[in-house]
């Protein structure tokens, strides 16, 4: 502990301030992921961890990765998670009750053992070679350095990743996309269908929703304010073809008027 | 400025053909009418696999560590493993092509009206074929990859399609989807372990190539190497379903559509063991004394647990799942042997086991009642009396799993145990022999069930297989039989091909 | 400050992720925990890149991000499919396959 | 060692013929049986030629080999598919092809009414081929091929009339017992490989000194298990009685003369293992001794003539196994008894078949009686076989059995006393139950209860029986004369290696043997003379009841193997779940609600699987943590 404090005290570089500020916070955030009830909160905490890591990347001379981490990981991947959470129901909160008896104590013991042993093992490692740093490798810029590796040494893996991307796309499509059993009718199809019918009474379309009307067709005369039919409202062609409904049937009856 | 890398296209051509065919398959999905899609996809798949096989034959004597800069090593063993994957995939694709096994529309909710319509219209989810080809491509890359990043990419390339395919069963879709979820979550979990291990190997050696890791021996601190070996192994042991990373196997094997289970059981094992062998033979050979005891213990646990638990299964697919766990244990003795004999034996074993497995799952796909496949062993009772041929073939395959002499299973075990024995690992041989003895009894129990017990009333019938299934089952069975009776054919080849180059 | 501190952080985050998979029941959160593990591995890679003085580690980390993105697409697609069938995203509800 | 190009024909001819008969289908119905018989006869001819050729060579050049092809070649490990014909295998070749041919001839008449006679002959030829491969293979692996082949042929032939459910059950029982034996053999092969890096007889024999006694004991015990399965020895004996469901020629050929003696062959062939593994050898003695009494006791109570003979077979093979347990000198006597037994037991089985033929397939001896005067030739041949088996001088059985008794007594001490008494007691019981069979069948009142008188069988059946009974008269003396067989087998089993002491003069032993036989015969005659009922008496002693139930062997099997086996299986069911869940439950969340507990056991949770992985990883990390500390 004392050594640790000395370490903190004597290496007061900006990086160490950054680290000692952000690292505990990101660990807390990660722990929080396990403890909060709502999945959305977990997602936000994870985003926080990822941004902290991005800052660490930049601090460790990995500028390009830091940016990618924020743009791709935090920006795209976490958004995807949030989308799905919205789909599943953003308000659903997990019950944190354990329903597999005995799992939790073992898990906690295992976690402490796992983490503890790992940390203890790493502390046993001695770096018997100098820590080089990346100033040489990054001489021409971090992005250039990565590109040089990516497009020469690891070009095959890079190409193969495309297979992965295609797989992901097909996968999402197979599981998400419904093939419609038949294509939807276009406006043109519907129009043709209306005019090809036996009767032309729906040719101008059905009455729109909420309208109190019995008819909405070209072969029905309009009603005048007096309640009488207006024969001039019907196309003369239809009159000539005889495709016309007797307007008298639509005129308001006298007795109906009286009732009103 | 960067100098353009040069790729050895001839050596990479088998993989490139398969990937290209997969991409063509995607295009077919996009632009071809529904009626001919299935036929076209099948033709493309078979054509590509045959072409890849021909290419493999043409490059059989070539070798290079720089085929894809330094990411891929094409050598004798690599070519053999790739050929094994392709041959097994060729047999598996015929089983897969029996579309009755796959859902008509994966996006429709099980039991919904939409699903009913899709079934009525005889829709087919032909995207299965490109996915299958991507998986095959990844499996071909996995055993020849020589740096950790290519390994990781290849691992994901063949895993992702399998996660998807596992969820596309036609019947009992809830179970199938559950299998996909389990496989996916646990698979991703295992890859995370793999990656973490890879990080520490990089930290140890300062490079991610296997050769670099082996060259760093002694010069760097071993803690990182050990952490790396452990975590990378966990990722791979998961894929081969070794204890205690095996628990996904029975569930996924049971839930996935049977042809996919067949493909997965046979080809994943080849690819994952290929990679495991290469990593341990090349990357970790210098650290032999550190990992050998650990892997030995895991191998023993795996073979014993797999054999013992297989006994108790009442579902035939779960039984074969446990059997595959046991076989993973036997195969691990080839890894532990760390010798040319061990490698040759593993190569033989993988091919023989793959063929037997494909045929066995093919048979399972034939046993049905009105609601689909029947995997409950109690209902297989008396099957041999009703369909003697199918019953006898299945019995033969079980005997081969059990490793009764005169079957390829026996020769495989024999070769692999003798290699392990020669490397001085007696514990593994003894437990292996005991585990096979335990297992033998219970495979025989199933045979008795099939042949000597009277059929019950609600028993099942065997459907007349289509030509595709017929070809695939009979080719696999006959090959497995031939390799049992005249193992020299394959064993000599395997021995000739058992070299990794650095 | 010792560079090793980043490794400790990485190990701790990895452990938290690994345990999260075990204790959380919502499959999406479980999956997020796996992402956390991948991130932890990435941090180790970047740190080792700095220690080793070459960029290979950073390249790997870059690959990991791409691969993880693909994995996320596939994984979420599977989770959504299950959700539509069962109206539940809990991994404990998906436990019909046993014995 | 000399090579020969002819050995392959011994196996290829019958195999080929069997394939033709199976593939040709109904077209071969008219000539199939003729071809099968001719092929069998030609293998016998080849056997005779090889025998005389071998005899004409000097002793060290007698064995011949033929390499067919390289079978397995892994690294330094090579197995060739090779055949080896030496002094031991030629005995078997002659027995198999000789008795086999006679039984082929017999079957032509016996099976003449069966629609599937062609298939029957195909199986018989398949059996001959496999059995020859078994005795000609030059390594345990090659032997195994034949071993499986005879198992298959036996299984097919027992179930030949498989429309009857009881017969199918019998086939199943035989199948299981044989598989248990097979597992023993394959384990023996694996252990041998692990020990010697070789599985050929010659290679193992040469390096037997390098193996530890534990390894040799293990191999020996596994070989003994294999022999028990195939030769129906205790505790795997129960299938033989049921196997009598097959057609009688099958019982004669496979379940009396040849296949069931494969266990004796196996132990004799492996003499170098057993001679170096005293514990295994002692087990051989115990198994042989127990079985010879066991079979004899069962034989006393059986009313089914074939089952009585089967019990006797079991008991006689017990003699042979016991003899092989007696060390170098015993092997030769075991083989001698095996050969003579082949003759007289086959002759008696065929005689029983002839009786059944005349009695409308009746097998119950209580419904026979007085048949002797209707079937004089069958009576005569059966009688000769009877005299041979009970060991009346100078018939064959006397010489061979007498030698075994003598050797057993000469072991000396308590061991010699026990073994000697067992063999003598066995001889007495044998005399008793065989006399009983003969009296019930051929003497006394006629009890068959129908009008048709039994009739003598056709000549085609009688000629083979006659030839076999000549063998049962003469073979014993021929083999015994001047210790011919002992000297003949010397290069293989080295019987004179150990000088054995004589505790009693041979003549005394012979007198004792004949005396117990006389006692046995007298008791039987006293008990079964006069009128007999056609029903088995109800009120019988406990012992008879036990013997009728095969000394409760099925109950015993059920109680010792099946039930515990089933419960083991049931418990094992839980192991995986215990491993996954035992961890989970182990911490001790003691739930009082049992139903809850049951639900917990049924896992299937991804999270449990993940936890298992974490715990596995933890274990691995802990290991390296300890290692690097």
């Amino acid at each position: 502990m004392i050594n640790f404090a000395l370490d903190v005290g004597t290496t007061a570089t900006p990086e160490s301030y950054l680290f000692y500020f952000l690292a505990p916070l990101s660990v807390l955030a990660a722990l929080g992921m396990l403890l909060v009830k709502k999945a959305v909160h977990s997602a936000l905490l994870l985003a926080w961890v990822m941004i902290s890591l991005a800052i660490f990347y930049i601090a460790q001379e990995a500028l390009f990765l830091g940016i990618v981490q924020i743009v791709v990981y935090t920006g795209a991947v976490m958004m995807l998670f949030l989308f799905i959470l919205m789909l599943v129901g953003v308000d659903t909160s997990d019950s944190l009750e354990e329903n597999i008896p005995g799992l939790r104590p073992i898990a906690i013991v295992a976690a402490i053992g796992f983490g503890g042993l790992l940390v203890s093992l790493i502390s046993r490692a001695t770096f018997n070679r100098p820590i080089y740093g990346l100033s040489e490798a990054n001489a021409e810029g971090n992005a250039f350095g990565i590109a040089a590796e990516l497009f020469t040494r690891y070009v095959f893996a890079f190409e193969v990743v495309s297979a992965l991307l295609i797989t992901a796309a097909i996968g999402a499509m197979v599981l998400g996309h419904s093939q419609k059993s038949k294509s939807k009718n276009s406006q043109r199809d519907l129009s043709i269908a209306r005019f090809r019918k036996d009767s032309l009474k729906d040719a101008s379309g059905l009455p729109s929703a909420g309208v109190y009307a019995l008819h909405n067709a070209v072969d029905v005369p309009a009603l005048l304010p007096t309640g009488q039919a207006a024969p001039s409202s019907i196309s003369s062609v239809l009159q000539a073809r005889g495709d016309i409904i007797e307007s008298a049937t639509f005129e308001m009856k006298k007795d109906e008027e009286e009732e009103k | 400025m960067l100098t353009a890398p040069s790729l050895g296209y001839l050596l990479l051509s088998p993989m490139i053909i398969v990937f290209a065919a997969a991409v063509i398959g995607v295009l077919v999905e996009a632009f071809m009418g529904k009626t001919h899609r299935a036929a076209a996809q099948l033709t493309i798949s078979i054509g590509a696999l045959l072409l890849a096989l021909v290419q493999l034959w043409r490059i059989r004597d070539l070798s290079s560590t720089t085929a894809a800069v330094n990411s891929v090593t094409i050598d004798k063993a690599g070519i053999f493993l790739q050929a094994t994957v392709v041959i097994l995939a060729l047999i598996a694709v015929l089983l897969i092509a029996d579309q009755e096994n796959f859902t008509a529309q994966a996006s429709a909710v099980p039991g919904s009206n939409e699903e009913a319509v899709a079934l009525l219209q005889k829709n087919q989810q032909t995207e299965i074929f490109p996915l299958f080809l991507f998986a095959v491509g990844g499996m071909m890359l996995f055993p020849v990859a020589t740096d950790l990043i290519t390994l990781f990419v290849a691992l994901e390339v063949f895993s992702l399609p399998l996660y998807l395919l596992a969820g596309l069963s036609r019947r009992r879709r809830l179970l199938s989807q559950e299998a996909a979820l389990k496989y996916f979550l646990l698979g991703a979990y295992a890859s995370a372990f793999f990656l973490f291990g890879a990080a520490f190997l990089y930290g140890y050696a300062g490079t991610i190539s296997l050769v670099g890791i082996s060259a760093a021996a002694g010069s760097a601190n071993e803690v990182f190497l050990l952490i790396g070996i452990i975590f990378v192994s966990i990722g791979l042991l998961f894929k081969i379903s070794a204890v205690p990373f095996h628990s996904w196997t029975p569930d996924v094997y049971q839930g996935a559509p049977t042809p996919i289970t067949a493909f997965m059981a046979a080809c994943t094992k080849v690819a994952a063991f290929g990679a495991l062998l290469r990593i341990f033979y090349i990357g970790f050979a210098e650290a032999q004394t550190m990992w050998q005891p650990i892997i030995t213990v895991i191998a023993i646990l795996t073979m014993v647990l797999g054999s013992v638990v297989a006994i108790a299964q009442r579902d035939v697919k779960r039984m074969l799942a446990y059997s595959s766990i046991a076989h993973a244990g036997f195969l691990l003795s080839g890894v532990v042997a760390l010798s040319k004999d061990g490698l040759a034996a593993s190569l033989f074993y993988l091919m023989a086991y793959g063929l037997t497995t494909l045929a066995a799952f093919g048979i399972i796909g034939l046993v049905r009642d009105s609601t689909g496949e029947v995997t409950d062993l109690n209902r297989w009772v008396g099957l041999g009396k009703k369909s003697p041929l199918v019953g006898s073939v299945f019995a033969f395959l079980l005997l081969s799993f059990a490793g009764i002499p005169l079957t390829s299973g026996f020769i495989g075990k024999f070769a692999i145990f003798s290699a392990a024995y020669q490397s001085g690992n007696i514990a593994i041989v003894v437990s292996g022999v005991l585990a096979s003895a335990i297992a033998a009894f219970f495979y025989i129990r199933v045979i008795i069930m099939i042949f000597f017990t009277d059929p019950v009333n609600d028993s099942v019938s065997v459907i007349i297989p289509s030509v595709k299934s017929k070809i695939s089952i009979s080719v696999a069975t006959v090959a497995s039989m031939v390799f049992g009776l005249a193992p020299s054919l394959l064993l000599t080849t395997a021995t000739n091909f058992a070299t990794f180059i650095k | 400050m010792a560079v090793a501190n980043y490794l400790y952080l990485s190990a701790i985050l990895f452990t938290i992720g690994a345990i999260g998979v075990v204790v959380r029941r919502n499959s999406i959160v479980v999956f997020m925990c796996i992402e956390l593990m991948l991130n932890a591995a990435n941090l180790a890679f970047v740190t080792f890149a700095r220690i080793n003085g070459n960029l290979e580690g950073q390249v790997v980390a870059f690959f990991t991000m791409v691969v993880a993105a693909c994995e996320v697409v596939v994984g979420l697609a599977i989770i959504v499919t299950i959700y539509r069938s069962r109206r539940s995203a809990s991994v404990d509800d998906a436990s019909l396959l046993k014995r | 060692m000399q090579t020969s190009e002819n050995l392959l024909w011994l196996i290829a001819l019958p195999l080929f013929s069997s394939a033709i008969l199976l593939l040709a289908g109904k077209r071969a119905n008219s000539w199939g049986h003729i071809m099968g018989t001719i092929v069998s006869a030609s293998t016998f001819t080849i056997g005779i030629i090889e025998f005389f050729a071998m005899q004409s060579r000097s002793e060290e050049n007698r064995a011949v080999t033929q390499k067919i092809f390289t079978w397995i070649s892994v690294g330094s490990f090579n197995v060739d598919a090779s055949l080896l014909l030496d002094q031991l295998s030629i005995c078997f070749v002659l027995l198999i092809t000789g008795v086999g041919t006679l039984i082929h001839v017999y079957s032509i008449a016996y099976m003449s009414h069966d629609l599937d006679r062609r298939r029957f002959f195909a199986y018989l030829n398949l059996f001959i081929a496999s059995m020859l491969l078994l005795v000609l293979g030059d390594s345990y692996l090659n032997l195994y091929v034949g071993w499986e082949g005879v198992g298959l042929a036996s299984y097919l032939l027992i179930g030949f009339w498989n429309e009857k459910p009881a017969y199918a059950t019998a086939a199943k029982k035989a199948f299981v017992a044989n598989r248990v034996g097979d597992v023993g053999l394959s384990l023996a092969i694996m252990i041998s490989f692990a020990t010697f890096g070789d599985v050929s007889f010659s290679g193992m024999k040469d390096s037997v000194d390098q193996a530890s006694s534990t390894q040799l004991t293990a191999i020996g015990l596994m070989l003994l298990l294999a022999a028990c399965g195939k030769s129906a020895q205790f505790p795997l004996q129960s299938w033989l009685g049921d196997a009598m469901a097959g057609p009688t020629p099958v019982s004669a050929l496979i379940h009396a003369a040849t296949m069931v003696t494969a266990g004796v062959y196996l132990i004799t062939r492996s003499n170098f293992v057993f001679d170096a593994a005293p514990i295994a050898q002692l087990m051989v003695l115990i198994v042989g001794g127990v079985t010879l009494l066991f079979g004899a006791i069962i034989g006393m109570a059986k009313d089914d003539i074939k089952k009585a003979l089967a019990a006797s077979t079991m008991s006689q093979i017990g003699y042979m196994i016991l003899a092989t347990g007696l060390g170098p000198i015993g092997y030769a006597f075991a083989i001698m008894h095996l050969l003579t037994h082949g003759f007289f037991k086959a002759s008696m089985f065929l005689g029983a078949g002839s009786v059944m033929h005349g009695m409308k397939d009746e097998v119950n001896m209580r419904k026979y009686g007085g048949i002797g005067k209707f079937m004089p030739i069958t009576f005569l041949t059966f009688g000769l076989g009877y005299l041979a088996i009970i060991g009346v001088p100078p018939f064959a059985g006397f010489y061979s059995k007498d030698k075994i008794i003598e050797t057993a007594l000469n072991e000396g001490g308590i061991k010699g006393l026990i073994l000697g008494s067992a063999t003598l007691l066995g001889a007495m019981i044998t005399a008793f139950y065989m006399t009983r069979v003969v009296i019930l069948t051929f003497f006394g009142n006629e009890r068959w209860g129908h009008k048709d008188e039994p009739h003598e069988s056709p000549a085609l059946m009688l000629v083979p029986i006659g030839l076999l009974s000549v063998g049962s008269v003469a073979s014993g003396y021929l083999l015994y004369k001047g210790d011919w067989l002992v000297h003949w087998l010397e290069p293989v089993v080295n019987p004179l290696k150990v000088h054995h002491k004589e505790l009693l003069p041979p003549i005394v032993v012979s007198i004792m043997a004949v005396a117990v036989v006389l006692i046995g015969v007298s008791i039987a005659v006293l008990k079964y003379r006069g009128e007999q009922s056609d029903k088995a008496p109800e009120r019988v002693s406990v012992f008879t009841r036990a013997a009728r139930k095969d000394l409760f062997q099925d109950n015993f099997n059920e109680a010792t193997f099946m039930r515990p086996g089933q419960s083991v299986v049931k418990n094992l069911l839980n192991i995986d779940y215990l491993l996954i869940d035992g961890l989970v439950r182990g911490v001790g969340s003691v739930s009082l609600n049992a139903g809850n507990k049951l639900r917990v056991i049924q896992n299937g949770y991804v999270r449990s699987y993940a936890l298992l992985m974490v715990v596995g990883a933890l274990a691995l990390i802990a290991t390296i943590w300890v290692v690097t500390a």
Side-chain angles (χ1 to χ4, degrees), chain B residues 178 182 185-186 189-190 193 223 226-227 230-231 234 238 244-248 250-251 294 298 305 308-309 311-314 318 322 341 385 403-406 410-411 414-415 417-418 421-422 429 433 436-437 440-442 444-445 447-448 451-453 484-488 491-492 495, chain D residues 69-77 79 141 144-145 148 155 165 168 171-172 175-176 179-180 182-183 186-187 189-191 193-197 199 215 565 568-570 572-577 579-580 604-606 608-617 620-621 623-624 627-628:
Chain B
E178 181 182 322
K182 283 182 176 170
L185 285 179
L186 293 172
Y189 197 47
F193 277 95
V223 175
L226 281 171
I227 297 179
I230 295 281
F231 280 77
I234 289 175
F238 173 85
F245 313 104
H246 68 289
S247 28
W248 61 277
D251 288 8
I294 295 178
I298 289 179
L305 186 113
V308 168
V309 180
I311 297 161
Q313 296 307 313
R314 280 164 292 181
R318 288 182 87 83
Y322 280 105
D341 280 349
K385 286 193 177 148
I404 297 288
L406 296 190
F410 174 76
I411 308 289
F414 208 109
F417 288 149
S418 68
Y421 180 75
Q422 275 158 13
V429 178
V433 170
S436 359
F441 276 104
F442 294 96
I444 287 163
R445 191 186 62 116
I447 295 177
I448 289 172
F451 274 100
F452 301 113
T453 318
L485 293 173
S488 300
L491 211 48
T492 322
T495 313
Chain D
F69 60 91
T70 301
W71 193 20
I72 304 174
S73 153
V74 202
S76 58
F77 173 62
V79 179
L141 264 183
Y144 191 95
V145 182
E148 284 297 317
Y155 165 68
K172 168 187 168 184
F175 181 84
V176 175
R179 287 295 82 68
V180 174
D182 292 349
V183 171
S186 48
L187 284 178
I189 295 176
M190 288 187 191
I191 304 171
F193 174 74
T195 313
F196 299 101
V199 292
Q215 288 164 322
V568 165
V569 169
K570 272 184 198 138
L572 288 174
L573 258 168
N574 293 321
I575 283 193
D576 191 37
Y577 315 107
L579 275 181
I580 295 170
Y605 292 117
V606 177
S608 291
Y609 300 166
L611 179 63
L612 185 66
M613 288 175 66
V614 174
V615 172
L620 295 180
I621 296 180
T623 315
I624 58 172
V627 170
T628 54

Side-chain angles (χ1 to χ4, degrees), chain C residues 4 12 17 28 40 42-43 61 66 71 81 86 92 97:
Chain C
I12 290 167
I28 300 175
N42 267 357
L43 179 61
V66 181
E71 216 174 63
T81 314
R86 294 173 184 263
D92 283 6
L97 287 163

Side-chain angles (χ1 to χ4, degrees), chain A residues 96-108:
Chain A
L96 290 177
E97 295 282 307
E98 185 53 65
N99 59 359
I100 309 178
L103 181 127
R104 181 154 294 167
I106 298 184
I108 290 168

Side-chain angles (χ1 to χ4, degrees), chain A residues 161-184:
Chain A
V161 165
S162 64
L164 214 52
L165 291 164
I166 301 175
T167 306
I170 306 181
M173 217 181 65
V174 167
L175 295 182
H177 173 70
S178 319
Q179 296 162 307
K180 282 288 163 284
S181 42
K182 62 176 184 191
S183 63
K184 258 190 178 158

Side-chain angles (χ1 to χ4, degrees), chain A residues 53-128:
Chain A
L53 289 186
I55 296 170
F56 289 143
Y57 293 170
I58 295 171
Q60 297 207 71
E61 301 172 70
L63 179 66
F64 178 70
L65 273 186
I67 306 290
V68 172
Q69 168 91 354
I70 292 175
V71 175
V72 174
Y73 235 130
T74 324
V77 171
M78 286 317 296
M79 282 309 116
L80 199 53
F81 268 107
L82 286 174
F83 269 129
I84 300 301
L85 278 174
M86 279 189 252
L87 194 73
V88 170
V90 100
D91 287 334
T92 50
S93 57
D94 265 5
S95 146
L96 290 177
E97 295 282 307
E98 185 53 65
N99 59 359
I100 309 178
L103 181 127
R104 181 154 294 167
I106 298 184
I108 290 168
V109 171
I112 294 170
F114 191 96
L117 289 181
L118 210 51
V119 167
S120 143
L121 271 174
I122 294 172
S123 71
R124 283 186 197 163
T126 47
F127 294 90
N128 50 4

Side-chain angles (χ1 to χ4, degrees), chain D residues 166-167 170 173 238-246 248 251 255 294-315 345 349 352 356 363-365 368 433-434 436-437 547-550 553-554:
Chain D
Y167 292 2
K173 219 172 185 180
S238 67
W239 65 272
L240 187 60
D242 292 358
M244 294 301 127
T248 307
S251 314
H255 305 119
F294 198 98
I297 292 170
I298 294 175
M300 291 197 291
K302 286 290 171 194
D303 287 338
D304 178 329
I305 186 168
K306 282 178 76 179
K307 290 201 170 162
L309 289 176
S312 131
T313 304
M314 203 188 285
S315 160
K345 188 50 73 55
F349 257 114
M356 283 161 58
V363 290
N364 188 348
M365 292 188 288
Y368 291 169
Y433 69 77
M434 286 314 300
R436 173 175 173 269
V437 168
R548 275 186 192 160
K549 286 199 148 183
D550 297 345
Q553 59 184 4
D554 286 339

